[in-house]
Amino acid sequence: MSQLNVGLLGAGRMGAFHGESIAKRIPEANLYAIADPFPGAAEGLADKLGTNIKAYTEPLEMMKDPNIDAVIIASPARTHANNVIAAAQNGKAIFCEKPMAITLEEADRVLQVVQEMKVLLQVGFNRRFAKGFRNAHDEIVTGKIGTPQLLRSITRDPGLGDPTPIPQWTIFLETLIHDFDALLYLNPNAKPIEVFAVADALVRPDFKDKGLLDTAVVTIKFDNGAIATAEASFQAVYGYDVRGEVFGSEGMMQMGSIRESSMTRYTKEGVSYDTCRYDQDLLFDAYVDELKSFVDAVKNNKPTYATGEDARSALLIALACIESYKTNRPIKVENGILTVV
């Protein structure tokens, strides 16, 4: 195929960015159509991004279009599994924003249908495409720092807006899911065996009784002996903060940054630098590169770099966190089964 015809499902914040990447940053792909159930959303984004882009208010109608080769799913998280299944059943290759699913039953159904239909699936774990994280992974695989012993992953959002629409367990299923995948990625071939989570509403305590958790720390033990922590906050007043660290028997690696650029300011007030305040600024290259990788995989029938199985593994840790929070106990993870310690 010359260009990959892509249909975009979801014209919101993330969908708009992915649509712009396909339309303007990846020559090998063509933004063929946009679907969004919200009246006028698909049409508005299509008008902004180019000409001759079809607009649908019914996602299934777009997925049935025979001219579309692949679908990007950037709809609300709780709709992802059903939309992936629908796209797969229509023979489309699929890029799905995280999380792929929010229950193991959903995840297993997705994997079953994707396998049955023989379509490619990639999940939007962008840290695998951030240069520092990918370089660290590649060197860890070669044994550059020996055996991983201590790992750390951090996600701190710059500011919590109106918490009213945030679904319960978002901090585990949608925020820390990135960190869980990053820790699995940076500790190759290791499997989690125990998870313990502590969480609270420290930014907006007045919303805790409505199910909001905005601050969390998770400890994960792996079967290779490594111990990891994942940490999240919905409000870091100094900027958008995504970092990781792996300490091994032969050294240490750190990756990620909050800096807007490499420029450092030295004045009579002291030393300072500007920080990123938006994920699409901090992780711009990673967001584009994950789509480039997806397009390349589909066009050349190559395996994707963040698979449905990877998504299920991260989800298993997220679900263990929920059980740990509910019981205030560690949760054992064995063969996909969660057990209170």
Side-chain angles (χ1 to χ4, degrees):
M1 63 182 71
S2 54
Q3 273 190 317
L4 190 75
N5 278 341
V6 176
L8 171 67
L9 172 51
R13 186 185 73 89
M14 202 66 245
F17 184 92
H18 287 326
E20 186 173 2
S21 291
I22 293 295
K24 300 182 178 181
R25 302 178 185 121
I26 305 175
E28 297 82 8
N30 170 51
L31 185 60
Y32 185 87
I34 302 171
D36 194 301
F38 190 82
E43 291 86 348
L45 183 58
D47 290 343
K48 178 182 176 181
L49 294 181
T51 57
N52 301 320
I53 299 173
K54 290 187 175 183
Y56 295 87
T57 53
E58 175 48 62
L60 284 176
E61 186 179 348
M62 183 187 75
M63 291 180 189
K64 292 177 181 178
D65 191 322
N67 295 305
I68 293 176
D69 305 304
V71 173
I72 295 173
I73 295 173
S75 56
R78 271 59 176 176
T79 69
H80 286 179
N82 286 338
N83 284 328
V84 172
I85 289 169
Q89 289 173 335
N90 282 280
K92 312 303 184 188
I94 305 145
F95 177 95
C96 179
E97 265 301 334
K98 55 73 193 169
M100 178 186 75
I102 61 168
T103 69
L104 290 180
E105 292 76 15
E106 282 185 343
D108 289 338
R109 176 62 178 154
V110 166
L111 296 178
Q112 177 188 357
V113 173
V114 165
Q115 183 178 30
E116 287 174 353
M117 298 303 299
K118 296 180 172 58
V119 295
L120 286 175
L121 169 63
Q122 181 174 318
V123 181
F125 289 128
N126 55 61
R127 285 177 213 181
R128 291 175 177 246
F129 298 88
K131 187 174 181 180
F133 283 82
R134 187 155 190 172
N135 288 348
H137 167 268
D138 292 346
E139 293 199 11
I140 290 167
V141 168
T142 65
K144 191 77 172 182
I145 58 167
T147 302
Q149 296 175 340
L150 295 170
L151 300 93
R152 187 183 187 202
S153 184
I154 292 172
T155 298
R156 297 175 186 157
D157 294 337
L160 175 61
D162 178 12
T164 305
I166 299 176
Q168 190 177 28
W169 312 123
T170 289
I171 199 164
F172 299 126
L173 292 170
E174 298 185 46
T175 301
L176 279 163
I177 198 86
H178 273 302
D179 300 88
F180 302 149
D181 180 70
L183 292 170
L184 290 164
Y185 180 60
L186 295 170
N187 194 15
N189 302 316
K191 297 185 183 301
I193 58 173
E194 187 175 295
V195 176
F196 182 64
V198 178
D200 208 337
L202 302 182
V203 181
R204 288 296 302 268
D206 54 319
F207 270 78
K208 185 175 181 179
D209 63 354
K210 297 179 177 67
L212 176 72
L213 297 172
D214 56 40
T215 308
V217 177
V218 177
T219 304
I220 306 166
K221 295 181 180 179
F222 288 92
D223 61 0
N224 65 345
I227 301 171
T229 58
E231 173 191 318
S233 170
F234 285 172
Q235 185 153 294
V237 296
Y238 56 85
Y240 193 76
D241 191 355
V242 170
R243 289 176 287 134
E245 179 179 290
V246 182
F247 173 88
S249 57
E250 302 295 332
M252 181 181 73
M253 290 181 179
Q254 294 180 328
M255 64 291 302
S257 173
I258 64 172
R259 298 176 70 126
E260 189 178 70
S261 73
S262 60
M263 187 274 286
T264 302
R265 187 181 300 107
Y266 296 82
T267 69
K268 63 183 179 181
E269 285 80 21
V271 179
S272 64
Y273 52 84
D274 295 326
T275 60
C276 287
R277 304 294 170 129
Y278 196 47
D279 58 345
Q280 292 172 7
D281 294 329
L282 183 67
L283 296 165
F284 181 94
D285 290 340
Y287 279 128
V288 176
D289 287 347
E290 66 181 353
L291 286 184
K292 287 181 178 178
S293 179
F294 171 67
V295 169
D296 178 59
V298 178
K299 285 175 65 68
N300 296 292
N301 196 28
K302 294 160 57 175
T304 59
Y305 198 64
T307 66
E309 288 77 10
D310 294 324
R312 189 190 189 281
S313 297
L315 174 64
L316 186 62
I317 298 176
L319 295 174
C321 289
I322 294 171
E323 290 305 309
S324 179
Y325 175 80
K326 288 178 177 178
T327 61
N328 196 30
R329 301 283 297 275
I331 302 297
K332 283 193 175 295
V333 182
E334 186 174 6
N335 298 323
I337 299 173
L338 306 179
T339 307
V340 178
V341 176

